[in-house]
Amino acid sequence: MKNIILVGKPNSGKSLLFNQLTGMRQKVANFPGVTVELKSGKFDQYQLVDFPGTYSLQSLSRDEELAIAKLHEAMHSDDTSLIVCNLDATRLERSLVFGLQVRDLAFQHNKGLIFALNMIDEVSRFGHHIDTEQLAQDLGCKVHALSAKTLIGLHEFRLALLDAAQHPQDFIPLKTEEASQPVLEISRKLSQQYGIKADVVLKRQNKIDDFLLNNVFGGLIFLVIMFLLFQSIFTWASPLMDGVEAIVGQLAALSSSVLPPGVVNDFVTDALFGGVGSFLVFVPQIMVLTLVIGLLEDTGYLARAALICHKPLSFFGLSGRSFIPYLSGHACAIPAIFAARTIESPRKRLITMMTIPLMSCSARLPVYALLIAVLVPETQYLGGLLNLQGITFFILYFIGILTALLVSTLLNKLTDMNTDQAEMPFILELPTYRLPHWKPLIHRVLTSAKQFIKRAAPVIFVVSVVIWFLGYFPQNGDLQSSYLAMLGHWIDPIFTPLGLDWRYGVAILVSFLAREVFVGALGTLFGIEGADENIAGLAANIQSDGLALGAGIGLMLFYVVALQCVATVATIKGETGSKKIAWGLFVGYGLLAYFLAFLAATFI
């Protein structure tokens, strides 16, 4: 299958165009450097490949370096049929810098090339018109005006793209009279001739930035937005969580009443509904987290947040660009570690990657939600807009961030400054403010829940079955005389100083496979123990069991800090090329987590 290569600068609507052409719902983010891997999808009989966004063929970051290397590789490949270069119609000069370089590269390798002039709807909104036919003559390539968001010109572009892919030799760039001039000079001249004036586009943006980036109010607004982000995870998701818990409880009660008493009934009730069902209750929080972060990305606020955070993060030896991987780490550490490639400084990139595991990822959400529901009352403020449980959520996330900053400071002092390259100035493009494209955003939210369940459910199911079997036999449901109790009492001395009994110890140990397994393991254990009682939520079972406040807080602190994700360890090893760093973080964060849990259990 022949390939069509899609390239362009970051934040130019390229990924959304890719989605529209392939029907895939790739993540579309409104800040530079979001795409760190090649994405591909089928377009007719061709494979459309979305390359990471780059500003120039001269790389400034590892992300761009990899993208440019892959682009040169694609230019040499016989499988590459056509190059599509996406241009931002609202910022033509910046887009053409890269576009002209790609044009020259396509000419050198005898590859067909067409330009997609994206975001034409925003240009039209300001009453401006771009003469695409004349621009095509000056560029020596076909230019197609379109809007991937409003679908203006998209049907015509599909037809033109298919024709160009079938006859790529007819679309090899032509040499123009200006081809010998410097790229910056040509792009500036063409932008002045065809593009919309920058002050027209920036007028509204600057008014908003004057408020959001104000020296006094900007930081306060940022803190409020971050507080609402973490508050929403608990407050907004609470009705959905209650609904899922009710459904799981009703299904468990129905299956228990239908199945005859015995081993099968106990297995379905305790292992399936007690283990896997307890985990599903917390999936709505993953969806809310993805939705809120997606809104911040698509509207363009994340780039502003990175700018606001640059100065305070510099104090800890980081860069403003570290903010984006840090925030992404609250969804999942693995893509966040990849996103750190956009940090130009190798030292700051390494420190960022090493501290990303301290961000509270979505796998920790079920653990936090369970323990908060057990320990913190549902006290509400401001008519229910805020509640104490949501505030506790924010505090846990803040502790993770604070720990990451303190560790960053330590690593920065321990890192040999002489081994680093010269520090480059912090430069970040501020995208225009835009309304989110809701269809991909909602799809992203649903996909995040689907992927989370797909990744975690099989592990939780296997662990739940194993724990149920070991906890049910040999006495058919007597947990205290089970095989699992024998194992639990053997490891009990490790967790007794933390104020936890062997059941929590078993759940903690198996959660080193994946943090969210903790909830499923406890659900199975408490399900076996309360098999003859009315089915209740796991939080209610733990409350009735009497978890001490200090032990509960220590348990939360343990999960804030401990690195309990094998995939994250493997990713750090791959990105740093060092087993010593990866496993050193695993052991170091584990010991720190145990120490904090011990302090909480001892003094609270």
Side-chain angles (χ1 to χ4, degrees):
M1 183 182 293
K2 290 286 187 177
N3 295 332
I4 300 175
I5 305 301
L6 178 60
V7 298
K9 81 176 186 67
N11 195 49
S12 61
K14 176 175 62 67
S15 294
L16 182 56
L17 176 61
F18 171 80
N19 289 339
Q20 300 289 17
L21 292 174
T22 62
M24 294 181 63
R25 297 297 182 264
Q26 181 196 357
K27 182 178 180 181
V28 181
N30 201 17
F31 57 81
V34 63
T35 311
V36 294
E37 296 178 318
L38 300 181
K39 303 292 183 181
S40 61
K42 190 175 180 182
F43 173 75
D44 201 77
Q45 73 267 32
Y46 299 94
Q47 180 173 250
L48 183 63
V49 184
D50 181 20
F51 272 61
T54 52
Y55 289 101
S56 169
L57 290 180
Q58 285 73 45
S59 62
L60 293 177
S61 67
R62 186 183 177 190
D63 183 24
E64 288 190 341
E65 181 182 342
L66 294 173
I68 293 167
K70 284 292 184 181
L71 178 57
H72 282 288
E73 183 180 315
M75 287 292 185
H76 284 91
S77 174
D78 294 333
D79 292 333
T80 301
S81 176
L82 184 73
I83 312 296
V84 178
C85 186
N86 186 78
L87 303 176
D88 182 352
T90 65
R91 298 186 175 184
L92 196 55
E93 181 178 344
R94 297 181 187 180
S95 293
L96 283 174
V97 170
F98 180 62
L100 290 169
Q101 292 177 333
V102 173
R103 182 197 66 177
D104 295 341
L105 198 61
F107 178 81
Q108 293 172 14
H109 292 85
N110 231 26
K111 297 293 184 182
L113 170 71
I114 62 174
F115 286 106
L117 189 61
N118 208 339
M119 302 188 187
I120 199 66
D121 58 316
E122 296 195 23
V123 173
S124 301
R125 186 162 51 86
F126 290 106
H128 185 75
H129 172 72
I130 296 179
D131 188 344
T132 54
E133 293 187 4
Q134 187 60 48
L135 178 59
Q137 290 184 16
D138 290 341
L139 289 174
C141 297
K142 290 288 186 181
V143 178
H144 300 273
L146 58 92
S147 170
K149 183 177 181 180
T150 63
L151 307 185
I152 295 174
L154 190 62
H155 176 69
E156 293 78 3
F157 180 71
R158 287 178 183 272
L159 299 177
L161 178 58
L162 185 59
D163 178 59
Q166 292 172 343
H167 308 95
Q169 68 278 0
D170 297 336
F171 293 86
I172 297 173
L174 302 175
K175 275 289 185 180
T176 62
E177 295 180 1
E178 299 175 327
S180 59
Q181 299 177 14
V183 167
L184 288 175
E185 185 177 324
I186 300 174
S187 62
R188 186 175 297 111
K189 180 180 178 181
L190 293 177
S191 177
Q192 291 173 350
Q193 183 176 352
Y194 298 103
I196 188 171
K197 292 186 181 298
D199 57 344
V200 175
V201 178
L202 296 176
K203 186 176 181 180
R204 182 187 62 176
Q205 177 180 320
N206 289 339
K207 287 183 178 180
I208 302 176
D209 283 341
D210 287 342
F211 180 67
L212 292 180
L213 300 181
N214 184 274
N215 290 334
V216 177
F217 298 109
L220 294 176
I221 295 171
F222 169 76
L223 292 176
V224 170
I225 290 176
M226 291 300 104
F227 176 78
L228 292 177
L229 164 65
F230 299 122
Q231 175 74 212
S232 66
I233 294 172
F234 204 98
T235 306
W236 297 358
S238 184
L240 292 174
M241 293 172 64
D242 292 341
V244 174
E245 184 174 18
I247 293 173
V248 170
Q250 290 175 1
L251 290 175
L254 178 63
S255 65
S256 181
S257 63
V258 171
L259 294 173
V263 176
V264 175
N265 191 319
D266 292 341
F267 172 78
V268 173
T269 303
D270 304 336
L272 297 186
F273 289 103
V276 180
S278 297
F279 152 76
L280 292 176
V281 170
F282 303 102
V283 172
Q285 292 181 321
I286 311 297
M287 300 172 67
V288 172
L289 175 65
T290 306
L291 173 64
V292 178
I293 292 181
L295 288 172
L296 295 176
E297 290 175 349
D298 292 351
T299 55
Y301 182 75
L302 274 192
R304 274 81 183 174
L307 184 63
I308 292 170
C309 290
H310 176 65
K311 189 171 182 179
L313 285 177
S314 298
F315 178 79
F316 299 99
L318 299 169
S319 162
R321 289 185 180 272
S322 301
F323 169 77
I324 293 171
Y326 271 6
L327 187 62
S328 301
H330 287 97
C332 180
I334 294 173
I337 292 170
F338 288 140
R341 293 173 178 173
T342 60
I343 302 172
E344 296 88 347
S345 167
R347 178 173 56 84
K348 293 178 180 178
R349 182 168 62 243
L350 177 61
I351 293 175
T352 302
M353 286 191 293
M354 292 174 69
T355 51
I356 281 174
L358 292 168
M359 301 298 110
S360 292
C361 66
S362 56
R364 290 174 167 104
L365 278 179
V367 181
Y368 291 172
L370 173 63
L371 296 175
I372 288 173
V374 171
L375 301 171
V376 182
E378 297 184 25
T379 306
Q380 295 186 347
Y381 307 98
L382 300 178
L385 181 63
L386 303 177
N387 67 46
L388 187 58
Q389 292 180 329
I391 294 173
T392 307
F393 241 118
F394 174 76
I395 293 173
L396 289 175
Y397 277 89
F398 179 77
I399 291 173
I401 296 170
L402 180 61
T403 306
L405 295 178
L406 294 176
V407 173
S408 297
T409 304
L410 179 62
L411 292 174
N412 186 50
K413 292 183 180 299
L414 294 177
T415 303
D416 186 2
M417 297 287 291
N418 295 325
T419 63
D420 198 9
Q421 298 176 352
E423 292 291 329
M424 298 187 63
F426 177 68
I427 301 174
L428 186 67
E429 179 185 13
L430 295 181
T432 55
Y433 290 101
R434 302 188 183 100
L435 291 175
H437 197 228
W438 290 102
K439 189 175 180 181
L441 180 59
I442 297 301
H443 190 278
R444 189 192 316 173
V445 171
L446 297 176
T447 300
S448 69
K450 179 181 177 181
Q451 291 177 342
F452 188 74
I453 294 173
K454 186 177 180 181
R455 187 191 80 234
V459 178
I460 291 175
F461 174 76
V462 172
V463 171
S464 297
V465 170
V466 171
I467 288 178
W468 180 85
F469 180 86
L470 294 176
Y472 194 82
F473 295 103
Q475 298 297 327
N476 292 340
D478 184 1
L479 184 62
Q480 296 300 325
S481 60
S482 66
Y483 297 124
L484 191 62
M486 299 177 192
L487 173 63
H489 290 307
W490 183 69
I491 64 172
D492 194 44
I494 300 175
F495 298 97
T496 299
L498 307 184
L500 303 172
D501 63 28
W502 65 269
R503 294 170 301 177
Y504 294 95
V506 169
I508 290 173
L509 285 183
V510 297
S511 70
F512 274 93
L513 295 173
R515 297 178 181 95
E516 58 270 31
V517 173
F518 175 84
V519 175
L522 276 187
T524 303
L525 287 168
F526 277 90
I528 296 173
E529 200 165 46
D532 298 329
E533 303 173 5
N534 293 328
I535 297 172
L538 177 57
N541 286 332
I542 295 176
Q543 280 180 331
S544 62
D545 187 65
L547 177 65
L549 178 62
I553 292 176
L555 196 52
M556 286 192 285
L557 292 175
F558 181 89
Y559 276 93
V560 168
V561 176
L563 205 175
Q564 296 167 284
C565 181
V566 177
T568 300
V569 174
T571 302
I572 293 174
K573 176 185 171 296
E575 287 295 291
T576 62
S578 172
K579 291 182 180 179
K580 183 178 179 181
I581 291 177
W583 291 108
L585 290 176
F586 175 80
V587 173
Y589 287 150
L591 293 176
L592 177 59
Y594 187 92
F595 176 70
L596 293 176
F598 173 76
L599 291 180
T602 304
F603 296 104
I604 297 179

